[in-house]
Amino acid sequence: MAVSSRPPANGFVAAMRKLYNPIGFAKGYNFTFWFIFAGAMLGFCLARIMYLDFNGIYCSPFRQGMNSAGPGECWTYNSKTRYLIGIKMHLYTIIPAGILVCAQFTPVIRHKFILVHRITGYLVIALSLVAIVGALMVASGTFGGTIETQTGIGFVAILFVGSLAISYYNVKRLQIEQHRAWMLRAWFYAGSIITLRIISILAITIREGTDEMYKALPCREVIALANNITQALSQYPICQDENAFVAVKGSLSSNGAAGVAAAMQVNFGMALWLAFAIHAVGVEIYLQLTPKEAERLRNVSYQRQLEAGYSNPGSAGLTVDRLGDSNPWSPTEKNKS
């Protein structure tokens, strides 16, 4: 487990090293990134453990319209068996996977508890695959199920699963630095769901003061969300026909749960794509800012592949010098055999 041998620059650095060295970090900036991003993922998932009580909290029938799932979402889930099965598959697997993956990115576990790291890794991948299947099953109903929402969910799912697959292939080939890079990409993509919520709320708040948002909702949903059905029918007389659709003004402060549902559905697709773009660019910036860690792990890969008898140690996985036009990689002098 790497620990910096350089003397601390000041008392603050010395104090921080006592905090991050025991969990395996040699550099403060790596610990800072881990604390922010892994901490956000862990906090987000822990706050949603209660959602595993699906009928009691997530879709409580006693919280008319304003469930933890978001206004109108539980009405959608209960409208089709596929949606109900899909959302349960997603919730029951992605929350545990998100908690476990935070441990996977903790160096002390990777270095001192290798077997735990491997077993947990397989479990995270299995849970993630089930979660993605569940998300795809419910995509056509998620926050209105618009084309941009369905496309965004499908796109993120493909890149997430693809990154997991590439990461898995590389670790089986003992290409550790590529395993790290692609696993980081996978979970940065998945983590966009957190940023999505922030962007969505900001967009709704900004647009509510400057622009009018309208969304066509099924009358059945509007009635289901209403606290007072008589008032809802007087506000939307077309909903005397439950099979009709009605334009609902999106708002967090008016029109009740139907207004909130309309506002969230209008902004969800945009927020999904923007959040993913931010995370996709952000992870590449992080990887570009940590070349020394990548090079260190590549030398580790070289040693392990050499011991395993691979014909091209250091480049046995999916590396740029094998697939692209970069110069052949060679180990540092101290790692050459």
Side-chain angles (χ1 to χ4, degrees):
M1 188 166 59
V3 175
S4 178
S5 59
R6 295 175 57 185
N10 51 54
F12 175 76
V13 174
M16 289 303 295
R17 282 185 180 178
K18 293 180 180 178
L19 174 63
Y20 64 72
N21 280 166
I23 56 177
F25 289 98
K27 298 179 177 64
Y29 70 87
N30 279 334
F31 169 75
T32 302
F33 282 125
W34 173 84
F35 182 80
I36 293 172
F37 296 115
M41 176 66 76
L42 181 62
F44 182 80
C45 292
L46 288 176
R48 280 152 181 79
I49 286 180
M50 62 181 179
Y51 291 175
L52 300 181
D53 181 4
F54 189 86
N55 294 318
I57 295 179
Y58 191 69
C59 280
S60 171
F62 303 105
R63 302 180 65 190
Q64 285 184 289
M66 301 300 285
N67 295 285
S68 299
E73 289 305 282
C74 289
W75 177 85
T76 300
Y77 300 147
N78 285 287
S79 67
K80 290 184 180 180
T81 302
R82 170 166 60 91
Y83 290 161
L84 193 59
I85 294 173
I87 190 61
K88 288 183 178 181
M89 286 173 59
H90 183 69
L91 284 176
Y92 296 161
T93 53
I94 198 61
I95 292 175
I99 293 172
L100 291 173
V101 81
C102 295
Q104 293 297 89
F105 287 114
T106 305
V108 69
I109 293 177
R110 297 198 306 271
H111 297 150
K112 289 191 173 182
F113 305 97
I114 298 175
L115 183 60
V116 172
H117 179 72
R118 289 176 179 171
I119 294 173
T120 304
Y122 285 118
L123 182 58
V124 166
I125 290 175
L127 289 170
S128 299
L129 294 178
V130 176
I132 287 298
V133 172
L136 293 175
M137 288 173 66
V138 78
S140 61
T142 299
F143 289 100
T146 60
I147 285 295
E148 64 268 25
T149 294
Q150 293 186 56
T151 307
I153 292 173
F155 185 70
V156 174
I158 291 170
L159 290 186
F160 177 62
V161 173
S163 297
L164 288 177
I166 295 171
S167 178
Y168 177 77
Y169 174 82
N170 276 295
V171 78
K172 298 304 288 185
R173 298 290 294 173
L174 303 179
Q175 200 70 49
I176 310 302
E177 87 286 351
Q178 290 300 317
H179 171 65
R180 163 188 177 261
W182 285 100
M183 195 58 79
L184 280 169
R185 288 186 177 106
W187 284 97
F188 261 76
Y189 300 156
S192 61
I193 194 67
I194 303 173
T195 306
L196 179 160
R197 283 161 167 75
I198 299 172
I199 293 173
S200 182
I201 295 299
L202 287 174
I204 292 170
T205 304
I206 293 169
R207 292 186 65 182
E208 188 167 6
T210 60
D211 191 17
E212 289 190 341
M213 303 172 284
Y214 284 89
K215 174 68 178 177
L217 297 181
C219 281
R220 291 180 183 275
E221 180 178 357
V222 172
I223 293 172
L225 293 175
N227 289 322
N228 187 317
I229 296 176
T230 302
Q231 182 180 345
L233 293 177
S234 65
Q235 185 177 2
Y236 306 108
I238 194 176
C239 286
Q240 297 290 343
D241 177 6
E242 290 189 352
N243 295 317
F245 282 75
V246 63
V248 177
K249 182 179 179 180
S251 174
L252 295 178
S253 57
S254 61
N255 290 342
V260 179
M264 296 185 74
Q265 290 184 24
V266 167
N267 289 281
F268 186 84
M270 172 278 299
L272 172 62
W273 280 101
L274 182 55
F276 173 77
I278 292 170
H279 281 242
V281 172
V283 70
E284 297 304 323
I285 292 174
Y286 175 75
L287 290 172
Q288 290 299 314
L289 290 175
T290 55
K292 288 186 177 180
E293 178 64 9
E295 184 65 13
R296 182 187 72 82
L297 289 174
R298 190 153 190 186
N299 279 286
V300 172
S301 301
Y302 169 80
Q303 290 293 339
R304 293 185 182 181
Q305 291 168 3
L306 188 66
E307 294 169 2
Y310 288 122
S311 59
N312 191 18
S315 301
L318 300 177
T319 59
V320 177
D321 54 340
R322 282 188 60 197
L323 304 176
D325 62 356
S326 72
N327 294 325
W329 179 85
S330 61
T332 57
E333 289 297 325
K334 67 178 182 178
N335 288 291
K336 289 181 179 179
S337 296

